Amino acid sequence: MLGGFGYSEYWAKEPQRRCYHASTGWFYRRRTDEPAGLKTPKKEKFVKRDKTQAPVEAPYVPPKPQRTTKPVPDKTIEIFEGMTIVELAKRTGESISSLQSILVNVGEKVDSEFDPLSIDVAELVAMEAGINVRRLHSSEGSEILPRPPVVTVMGHVDHGKTSLLDALRQTSVAAREAGGITQHLGAFVVSMQSGASITFLDTPGHAAFSAMRARGAAVTDIVVLVVAADDGVMPQTLEAMSHAKAAKVPIVVAINKCDKPAANAERVKLQLASEGLLLEDMGGDIQVVEVSALKKTGLDNLEECLLLQAEMMDLKSRIDGPAQAYVVEARLDRGRGPLATAIVKAGTLECGQHVVVGSEWGRIRAIRDMVGKLTEHARPAMPVEIEGLKGLPMAGDDIIVVESEDRARMLSAGRKRKFEKDRLNKISEGRTEVLELSEEVPERVEMPMIVKADVQGTVQAVTDALKSLNSPQVFVNVVHVGVGPISQSDVDLAQACGACIVGFNVKTPPSCISVAATRASIKILLHRVIYHLLEDIGNLIVDKAPGTSETQVAGEAEVLNIFELKGRSKAKGADVKIAGCRVIDGCVTKSSTVRLLRSGEIVFEGCCSSLKREKQDVETVKKGSECGLVIRDWEDFQIGDIVQCMEQVIRKPKFISSESGAVRIEC
């Protein structure tokens, strides 16, 4: 009971509503005058918005692209024969279980993480993990014998490197070279008068072949730096010195052309000493020999210096076991297929062995020496040409011998995947860098190119030289490179992408290909000399460049007198002032923008509304003539003012070639 009332009587007299309690699942009754749930807030007083201030209209600014984090630089580890999975995991930074799963995927049996792995399997596992490797080959062997030195001849263009080699081996290679300059990297074995054999590498001296000189320094034991006595130290001389120092290779200086009247060997020595070479004459350890390739003088002294340097280095190599070799050059022969010129570093390279060269593989079908004679094997420091590869390798690749064809296929496929992955990463990084540049990026005209050359090294050199011609206005895009003559597929590709075909040291294409290229409006450039090629391409780039718009002074006129026309009708307008001028330079044109100068300062810039000569309307007044000039919205002329006539011109970039052969496009 509640105050004399029952519960039923109380709820019957009060207004009610039925509610449901979610947590208990029971229905209960609630008075309707009680607000359900939270209490509603009191309404605030309405405040009228002040509409006197207009909203600020800000221009739309597009959001800047988010700068992605730069990728971690490529990691390179050293691997060796017989390393365990534990050791490989420590070097790669990967877990042992992940490396074991990779081994299972590549078809290798895994018993324990302490089992030794072959160097090929270790490389394959590391590449699958996205890590670059460097092989550490064991120099231990039952036969370690002295070997001939590998000598690279380097220096500036036209300083007589090939002529010096011709004098040593009694040949005439320099006379047969296109343009009189070396454009390939050649390897020769020269039997000296003392009976010793020396392997020589001849490098080109042109600025475009820097990569060839770097490869020569990487594989060599001694560098012969050839400097012309009448020319002195030049840019490629300094570059050759830097390559030799980077490879930690001893240098022997040969001062050539000492027979010329303008020769000054002492000046050359002072220049070399000022560049950091410690010559023997100045208390250093670098030998200097004065020679003349034309007169064949001083060659005995050069031979003695080279053999002495080789004896001091005590050059020895392993003879037995699998070979390690280095690709110097590669070319495509029409009848024999891909051919690679290589120098053996250690071991013996034999016919029938399965090799992996870069990302290509094959079984050695034949080995020829540099004379073209077939041989069954190649010993250390011996330059040979091998055939039997499935594809054309890159100059600079290492040659490794593997135990079976399956292992060669597997390693080649893994390297190709890694190469393609790295290539795609570089493309994506390049796009990211473009997005991170400033917003105002000038538009560039794309100039696609297809490069074909006789050997792989020349293809790389020509491609690098063409890419160096990139400018803010023209982008040289090398869409395809290849070794061999120009084919129909090259013409089809050029037609698809609108490219120009560059053939260097290749044969003239057949008439059917030339006709097809002419019909498709495809330009084919054939050259044998690198100077002419770069000059021709440079002129094409200059012609295709859109140029930059600039304002120039087309003519100047001096104000001699001022005339005023009054009493004109309302229909013809108000009074006007006419400047009587004499053109002192160039010509004055009515349609051009004019600029008024007073005491050398610009006081007004506008357009010409009237130009008359001898009471006749004219469009142009040349130098030395008098005219009447009216400038729109300007009447404050003074005698002595200068009226300049401005015009818009398109300035094209310039192709600049230096004496050393280096070229550039200057905008």
Side-chain angles (χ1 to χ4, degrees):
M1 299 294 292
L2 181 62
F5 292 98
Y7 282 104
S8 57
E9 296 176 355
Y10 172 79
W11 289 113
K13 292 183 178 182
E14 294 293 331
Q16 314 166 15
R17 71 179 169 198
R18 201 176 181 196
C19 299
Y20 175 77
H21 198 285
S23 61
T24 60
W26 289 84
F27 285 97
Y28 67 95
R29 294 173 177 172
R30 181 193 256 319
R31 293 185 51 166
T32 54
D33 55 351
E34 286 186 16
L38 298 176
K39 294 184 179 180
T40 57
K42 295 182 179 180
K43 294 185 178 180
E44 296 181 359
K45 188 176 181 180
F46 176 75
V47 180
K48 187 176 181 180
R49 181 181 296 176
D50 186 11
K51 297 184 179 180
T52 57
Q53 184 178 1
V56 179
E57 294 184 1
Y60 172 72
V61 179
K64 292 185 179 180
Q66 296 292 330
R67 180 171 296 186
T68 58
T69 57
K70 293 186 177 180
V72 181
D74 292 338
K75 184 179 179 181
T76 303
I77 64 171
E78 294 179 344
I79 59 173
F80 52 88
E81 184 73 30
M83 67 186 309
T84 62
I85 300 178
V86 176
E87 180 68 24
L88 188 60
K90 290 180 180 178
R91 301 196 177 202
T92 58
E94 301 287 333
S95 63
I96 297 178
S97 59
S98 63
L99 296 185
Q100 287 177 339
S101 62
I102 293 176
L103 283 170
V104 173
N105 291 335
V106 299
E108 291 293 325
K109 187 178 180 182
V110 182
D111 293 332
S112 170
E113 61 262 25
F114 298 102
D115 290 343
L117 300 175
S118 67
I119 191 170
D120 302 329
V121 174
E123 178 183 353
L124 190 61
V125 172
M127 286 192 303
E128 290 293 329
I131 298 173
N132 299 324
V133 299
R134 186 162 58 107
R135 291 182 169 229
L136 294 180
H137 295 281
S138 175
S139 58
E140 298 179 359
S142 57
E143 263 189 292
I144 299 179
L145 300 177
R147 62 170 177 83
V150 179
V151 178
T152 301
V153 182
M154 306 177 74
H156 193 72
V157 63
D158 201 27
H159 276 200
K161 299 180 294 297
T162 307
S163 300
L164 182 60
L165 277 176
D166 286 341
L168 288 171
R169 62 190 176 186
Q170 298 179 358
T171 56
S172 57
V173 174
R176 300 193 301 269
E177 290 178 329
I181 61 173
T182 302
Q183 299 177 128
H184 297 85
L185 199 154
F188 315 94
V189 178
V190 179
S191 297
M192 312 302 287
Q193 294 182 358
S194 61
S197 295
I198 298 179
T199 300
F200 282 97
L201 290 180
D202 186 16
T203 62
H206 191 273
F209 300 100
S210 175
M212 288 189 182
R213 290 188 290 276
R215 288 199 301 273
V219 75
T220 191
D221 299 316
I222 305 170
V223 167
V224 174
L225 185 63
V226 179
V227 188
D230 60 338
D231 202 7
V233 175
M234 298 298 285
Q236 268 61 63
T237 311
L238 301 177
E239 183 193 312
M241 291 166 52
S242 63
H243 285 320
K245 290 179 180 179
K248 299 180 181 180
V249 177
I251 299 175
V252 174
V253 178
I255 302 178
N256 195 19
K257 302 184 180 182
C258 290
D259 56 316
K260 287 195 171 184
N264 189 349
E266 296 300 324
R267 178 176 65 91
V268 174
K269 293 179 182 178
L270 290 175
Q271 289 178 345
L272 292 172
S274 64
E275 295 297 336
L277 286 187
L278 302 177
L279 307 180
E280 276 189 343
D281 298 348
M282 301 177 183
D285 55 352
I286 296 179
Q287 304 178 79
V288 183
V289 185
E290 298 181 12
V291 298
S292 171
L294 186 63
K295 301 293 183 181
K296 296 185 179 180
T297 58
L299 301 181
D300 297 339
N301 297 332
L302 179 60
E303 175 189 352
E304 183 180 350
C305 290
L306 293 176
L307 295 178
L308 176 61
Q309 185 68 45
E311 185 179 353
M312 291 172 58
M313 298 173 68
D314 191 21
L315 299 173
K316 293 182 179 181
S317 289
R318 170 178 55 84
I319 304 298
D320 58 338
Q324 306 160 33
Y326 184 89
V327 176
V328 173
E329 196 58 272
R331 64 188 179 93
L332 193 63
D333 189 82
R334 188 170 185 178
R336 298 159 57 194
L339 303 177
T341 302
I343 291 183
V344 181
K345 296 179 182 179
T348 302
L349 193 65
E350 299 178 354
C351 282
Q353 289 180 331
H354 291 90
V355 294
V356 177
V357 187
S359 59
E360 304 294 339
W361 72 279
R363 182 175 179 271
I364 299 179
R365 188 168 57 243
I367 300 178
R368 299 176 186 268
D369 58 15
M370 301 316 295
V371 186
K373 184 179 178 182
L374 286 171
T375 179
E376 289 296 324
H377 55 266
R379 296 290 179 89
M382 181 177 177
V384 291
E385 189 176 63
I386 62 174
E387 59 179 274
L389 299 177
K390 301 297 181 182
L392 194 68
M394 302 290 289
D397 287 340
D398 282 323
I399 300 177
I400 58 173
V401 179
V402 294
E403 57 187 12
S404 64
E405 180 179 342
D406 293 338
R407 180 62 57 82
R409 287 177 181 271
M410 181 177 63
L411 198 55
S412 173
R415 289 185 173 184
K416 285 181 179 178
R417 287 195 302 270
K418 181 71 167 57
F419 177 79
E420 185 66 17
K421 183 179 178 182
D422 293 343
R423 187 183 68 85
L424 295 176
N425 288 338
K426 287 181 180 179
I427 293 175
S428 62
E429 289 174 15
R431 291 175 179 172
T432 305
E433 290 177 1
V434 170
L435 290 176
E436 292 179 359
L437 294 176
S438 60
E439 296 178 3
E440 297 181 0
V441 179
E443 293 185 3
R444 292 200 296 178
V445 178
E446 184 177 354
M447 189 173 180
M449 291 274 185
I450 294 175
V451 179
K452 299 297 290 286
D454 54 344
V455 295
Q456 184 67 53
T458 306
V459 168
Q460 296 177 14
V462 173
T463 303
D464 294 341
L466 293 180
K467 289 181 179 179
S468 68
L469 294 176
N470 281 332
S471 67
Q473 299 183 19
V474 177
F475 170 62
V476 180
N477 183 16
V478 181
V479 296
H480 176 68
V481 296
V483 175
I486 298 172
S487 61
Q488 183 63 42
S489 61
D490 297 327
V491 176
D492 296 339
L493 177 60
Q495 185 177 3
C497 60
C500 172
I501 301 177
V502 176
F504 190 76
N505 272 339
V506 296
K507 296 180 180 179
T508 304
S511 58
C512 59
I513 296 179
S514 301
V515 170
T518 305
R519 289 177 179 174
S521 300
I522 297 171
K523 185 174 289 187
I524 297 179
L525 304 177
L526 298 176
H527 287 281
R528 297 189 63 202
V529 182
I530 191 68
Y531 292 107
H532 303 159
L533 170 65
L534 295 179
E535 184 178 357
D536 205 354
I537 298 297
N539 294 331
L540 278 178
I541 292 175
V542 170
D543 292 339
K544 194 167 184 178
T548 54
S549 179
E550 291 184 350
T551 303
Q552 291 185 354
V553 179
E556 289 185 350
E558 183 182 2
V559 179
L560 303 179
N561 205 346
I562 302 170
F563 305 95
E564 187 173 358
L565 292 181
K566 291 186 178 181
R568 307 181 71 193
S569 63
K570 292 183 179 180
K572 293 185 178 181
D575 300 340
V576 294
K577 284 188 178 181
I578 302 172
C581 307
R582 177 186 291 119
V583 182
I584 58 178
D585 188 19
C587 63
V588 176
T589 307
K590 180 181 178 181
S591 59
S592 301
T593 303
V594 292
R595 181 185 294 170
L596 187 67
L597 276 71
R598 184 173 297 162
S599 300
E601 295 183 359
I602 301 174
V603 294
F604 184 76
E605 185 171 344
C607 58
C608 177
S609 60
S610 177
L611 181 63
K612 291 189 177 184
R613 185 172 183 272
E614 296 179 356
K615 298 183 180 181
Q616 292 183 355
D617 291 328
V618 292
E619 290 294 329
T620 304
V621 180
K622 295 184 179 180
K623 180 180 178 181
S625 302
E626 294 183 353
C627 62
L629 183 69
V630 177
I631 299 178
R632 185 178 299 170
D633 300 331
W634 183 261
E635 293 183 352
D636 186 16
F637 292 105
Q638 293 184 11
I639 296 175
D641 289 349
I642 300 296
V643 179
Q644 289 183 343
C645 180
M646 315 303 295
E647 66 175 356
Q648 293 287 333
V649 296
I650 302 298
R651 187 171 67 89
K652 292 278 190 177
K654 295 181 181 179
F655 172 74
I656 298 177
S657 176
S658 62
E659 295 180 357
S660 63
V663 295
R664 72 180 190 275
I665 301 293
E666 188 177 82
C667 295

